[in-house]
Amino acid sequence: MTVPAKPVFLSDAFFAEATCRNCGAALHGPHCAQCGQKKAGRIGAGSVRSEIWEKLRLFELDQLQSALRLVAGPGKVARDYVFGVRKRHTHPLKLLLLAIAVLLVVLAQTRYLNSANVQVSKVMETVRKYAEWSFSLGLVAIWCASMAGFRKRLGYNAVEHLVLALYAHFVIILANIANQLPLLVLRTPAWLAWHKQWSGWYMGAIEPAIVLIALSQFFVVDLRRQWWRLVLAGVVFVAAKKLLVYAYAWLLVKFVLARAAT
């Protein structure tokens, strides 16, 4: 089934119809006889919890296929998903957890958080133990940007905004993994120092660009009339992420210093 290209107000009645939202065939039971997908319901907090437990398995081919689709259209995949096209796409949280695990492995291999100073390296080892939590900050920033710029648009609820944030953040994590890959080959101290100095600048532009593309696809934005919504969302994303990162860093420093004093 193709999700309507034009903006469509999403409501509970959309999912009440006896139609498979994955392939468009008529439903005569809880599962589609054509593609096998379970009858899609609207995404809410309860459905998110149940789908996590149902789909949290090891790496599968469909995850790679979903990742490739997301690189080209994170907002389109998220829109498909909330409109009921579930069988074709991997659960967003499952993909995000996998991407974070890969990024942590890559960071460990590149020794990006290491230091020539032994004492500093010991501190960074403690920081690494809590690094998984820091990767959720961008997710919160995307959700805030989506809600700020498009909260009342097309009838999406807060959890459906979160689906977009999860998929968009997955693509951002992929971009960060790609940014680290050259360090697996070029391991000289000079190259590592150059990378640390400049990667923050271009990644600081790439990440908001991914968010804006995802938002424009998810909400089918008319740039001529609704450009201001994207500008607002972009400003909120950058500001929220900086604020969250600074707050997290402050709390982490306090925690590390407290542990060092004991």
Side-chain angles (χ1 to χ4, degrees):
M1 176 184 179
T2 301
V3 173
K6 296 181 180 180
V8 175
F9 192 88
L10 191 63
S11 65
D12 295 339
F14 178 82
F15 295 98
E17 298 175 8
T19 302
C20 176
R21 294 305 173 189
N22 186 64
C23 70
L27 282 177
H28 302 287
H31 291 82
C32 176
Q34 187 73 24
C35 69
Q37 175 177 283
K38 184 180 179 181
K39 187 179 188 302
R42 187 160 191 186
I43 295 177
S47 62
V48 169
R49 288 194 299 268
S50 63
E51 289 195 33
I52 289 172
W53 287 110
E54 181 181 336
K55 296 188 175 182
L56 196 58
R57 299 188 297 266
L58 296 177
F59 180 81
E60 298 169 348
L61 180 60
D62 66 339
Q63 295 177 27
L64 177 59
Q65 294 170 338
S66 291
L68 294 175
R69 285 191 291 266
L70 277 163
V71 170
K76 185 180 183 304
V77 171
R79 191 161 180 262
D80 283 353
Y81 198 85
V82 301
F83 270 88
V85 185
R86 310 278 163 79
K87 187 176 177 64
R88 190 187 312 165
H89 305 299
T90 304
H91 192 282
L93 185 56
K94 182 179 179 181
L95 279 176
L96 183 59
L97 292 175
L98 176 63
I100 290 175
V102 172
L103 179 59
L104 290 174
V105 170
V106 172
L107 286 173
Q109 291 298 314
T110 59
R111 300 181 179 180
Y112 200 75
L113 297 179
N114 284 13
S115 171
N117 186 301
V118 176
Q119 189 64 33
V120 172
S121 287
K122 289 182 179 179
V123 173
M124 294 309 294
E125 181 63 32
T126 302
V127 171
R128 274 197 296 272
K129 292 179 180 179
Y130 299 92
E132 295 90 338
W133 295 99
S134 67
F135 294 120
S136 64
L137 300 179
L139 170 65
V140 176
I142 297 170
W143 184 83
C144 290
S146 181
M147 292 293 288
F150 302 90
R151 182 172 62 89
K152 296 182 179 180
R153 180 164 168 76
L154 303 183
Y156 295 131
N157 62 34
V159 179
E160 288 157 349
H161 281 263
L162 180 60
V163 170
L164 169 66
L166 287 164
Y167 277 129
H169 195 47
F170 169 77
V171 178
I172 287 177
I173 295 295
L174 285 187
N176 279 277
I177 292 172
N179 181 49
Q180 290 289 317
L181 291 181
L183 297 177
L184 294 175
V185 180
L186 302 172
R187 293 175 173 267
T188 64
W191 168 250
L192 180 60
W194 183 93
H195 191 277
K196 286 184 175 182
Q197 180 180 358
W198 295 105
S199 64
W201 290 96
Y202 59 77
M203 290 305 297
I206 290 173
E207 291 185 5
I210 292 172
V211 173
L212 294 181
I213 290 171
L215 288 170
S216 64
Q217 293 172 341
F218 189 68
F219 295 102
V220 197
V221 175
D222 183 347
L223 294 178
R224 291 176 297 179
R225 293 186 300 174
Q226 298 171 331
W227 59 269
W228 63 271
R229 289 183 179 272
L230 286 177
V231 172
L232 174 61
V235 170
V236 170
F237 169 73
V238 173
K241 186 171 183 184
K242 285 185 178 296
L243 180 62
L244 289 167
V245 168
Y246 289 149
Y248 180 81
W250 182 82
L251 290 172
L252 188 57
V253 167
K254 291 291 186 181
F255 176 74
V256 170
L257 291 177
R259 289 198 61 178
T262 57

